Each structure stands twice: as structure tokens, then as C-alpha cells.
Amino acid sequence: MTTTTVTTRTVEYPADGLTMIGHLALPAGTGRRPAVLLGPEGPGLNDFQRRRADALAELGYVALAFDINGGRWFTDPEEMLARLTPVLADPDRMRGIGHAALDVLRAEPRTDPDRIAAIGYGTGGAIALELGRDGVDLRAIGTVNALTTGRPGEAARIRCPVWAGVGSEDPIMPPAQREAFTAEMQAAGVDWRLVVYGGALHAFHHPTVGHAVLPGVGHHPLHAQRAWRDIVGLLAECLPVTE
């Protein structure tokens, strides 16, 4: 699909024993641009995150909304947990999913391979963090609802600023999880920030995901807008678009 500013296409690639179906959005022009990996929440990649990639392309970034479930969008929480619980317990599997998407993004001729950031929501954010813990050269990592901690000492390999957002009432990422995450980042010497959005539940950024997943999930339209602005601000600071 082509508009006056953005071109999009579907990309298929193997990862985690599945055929992943990602969404690549390219900005106007022909030259190389900074690039952003965009990871979805647990149910999978849907039009909401595809539109996020398109919005990033409108800002001048090459953006890949990557897949985590082999093209599936889970509406049954038990199915989703059966798929993702073992993935989230295995940093190497998460890294494999992230690296496969990163390879697709780097192979795009419009991508400047030295200027890439990773942002993600829920499971997609956990994958972005694991890429950082794996020492990938990223310019920024931004996550929402993804305060996961990694294997001891590996956060010291993160080479870029980390921004994290979470709802104050998120039962999946409670205060103890926030504290463990920030302690890990601080001990590793990472340039980190945490924004707690008052009154927000898990997946507060997503208008429809609450119908598909677990208790404690709910949309907060105002904080969703604020979190998106914070993500865009992170990219503007760490990965500015220059002609």
C-alpha cells in the first residue's frame, strides 16, 4: 500500500519455529533513515500496532511491527499463556524472535543499520529489553507494560537509554516488579527512566486488547496518548530523523 508519505508491505520470516508475518512501513523519500523495531503485546500483532508503525514512518522512520505468534491474534487467554509463558521464561527464545525481526529490518535498503531503536508493549517490550541485554547496538529501548528482569549481570550489556512506562494499578507489573526492574537497571549503570501512569491498568495503551486477555487489563485513553507521546519523545531525543 502507498500513500503520499508512507509505503507499507507485509514481510514473512522464520522465528521460533513459526512463520512470522510482520508489517513494514517506509517513510517518504529514497534515502536511508533511522529505524524502529515495534513489538506487540501478548495476543499478537494486529492493526493497532500496524498503525503505530505507519505513524512512525510518517515521522520519518523505517518501522517494522514484528510478529510474535506466527500470524495469530489470541482471544483465548489460556491459549495465549500456553504460547507465551514458556517464551517469557526463556531469554534465548525471546532474543531469537527479536533477532529474526532485527535481521529483516536491517536487510531493508532504506534502513540505516547504525541507527536502530526497539520499542515494545508487553511481550514485545520484553523482547526489546532482551535484545539490549544481548548487547545489540540500539540507540534506545522503550517499553510499556514490560518491566521484566533478565539473567544476573546481563543488563550491563545494554548500551542505550531505556524508557519504561507502566500503569500504577497494573496487577501483572506490581510495585515489587517495578522495584526489581529499576534495581536491575540501576545496578547495571543503565540510563533508565520509569513513568508510572496513575490509575492505569495493564495494557492501558491498547483500546481493544482488554477484551481478549486477563483480569487487570483495561484501556486508559488519556494515558495511552501520553505514553505514545513519551515514546515519540524518546525517539526524537535518541534517534532524531535527519535528512
Side-chain angles (χ1 to χ4, degrees):
M1 181 184 71
T2 303
T3 68
T4 55
T5 58
V6 173
T7 302
T8 66
R9 68 174 185 267
T10 298
V11 290
E12 295 189 6
Y13 58 96
D16 201 44
L18 300 170
T19 298
M20 301 298 187
I21 305 173
H23 176 82
L24 183 68
L26 303 176
T30 58
R32 285 189 168 184
R33 293 291 184 271
V36 182
L37 272 181
L38 173 62
E41 44 283 300
L45 179 60
N46 70 351
D47 284 343
F48 176 76
Q49 298 297 11
R50 293 185 188 101
R51 289 193 296 269
R52 289 292 201 210
D54 297 349
L56 290 172
E58 290 171 0
L59 294 173
Y61 298 99
V62 177
L64 175 62
F66 65 87
D67 186 10
I68 59 174
N69 294 328
R72 291 196 62 185
W73 169 267
F74 288 108
T75 58
D76 183 326
E78 291 186 3
E79 280 192 288
M80 183 189 71
L81 291 174
R83 157 70 186 152
L84 292 177
T85 298
V87 172
L88 289 166
D90 187 340
D92 292 324
R93 283 184 72 181
M94 285 193 282
R95 293 174 186 186
I97 294 169
H99 276 289
L102 186 61
D103 289 345
V104 171
L105 185 59
R106 282 177 168 158
E108 164 54 47
R110 296 289 309 283
T111 295
D112 181 342
D114 296 322
R115 292 192 295 159
I116 296 176
I119 65 176
Y121 298 82
T123 299
I127 289 170
L129 285 166
E130 281 305 322
L131 287 176
R133 295 185 183 107
D134 201 31
V136 172
D137 185 13
L138 298 169
R139 293 297 183 93
I141 296 171
T143 73
V144 179
N145 308 315
L147 301 181
T148 58
T149 51
R151 290 183 292 221
E154 291 191 337
R157 301 166 73 184
I158 294 175
R159 302 160 63 183
C160 64
V162 171
W163 178 94
V166 68
S168 69
E169 307 309 301
D170 184 343
I172 299 172
M173 298 285 161
Q177 184 66 29
R178 290 181 225 159
E179 292 169 9
F181 174 79
T182 58
E184 179 195 27
M185 294 295 110
Q186 184 65 21
V190 175
D191 175 2
W192 64 272
R193 283 171 282 174
L194 174 66
V195 176
V196 180
Y197 295 94
L201 296 168
H202 193 70
F204 68 87
H205 65 281
H206 199 297
T208 61
V209 75
H211 302 302
V213 290
L214 303 171
V217 171
H219 186 220
H220 194 301
L222 181 57
H223 284 327
Q225 295 173 12
R226 289 168 170 165
W228 178 246
R229 288 197 297 267
D230 286 343
I231 288 281
V232 170
L234 173 75
L235 295 174
E237 175 190 331
C238 300
L239 195 70
V241 175
T242 55
E243 295 297 329

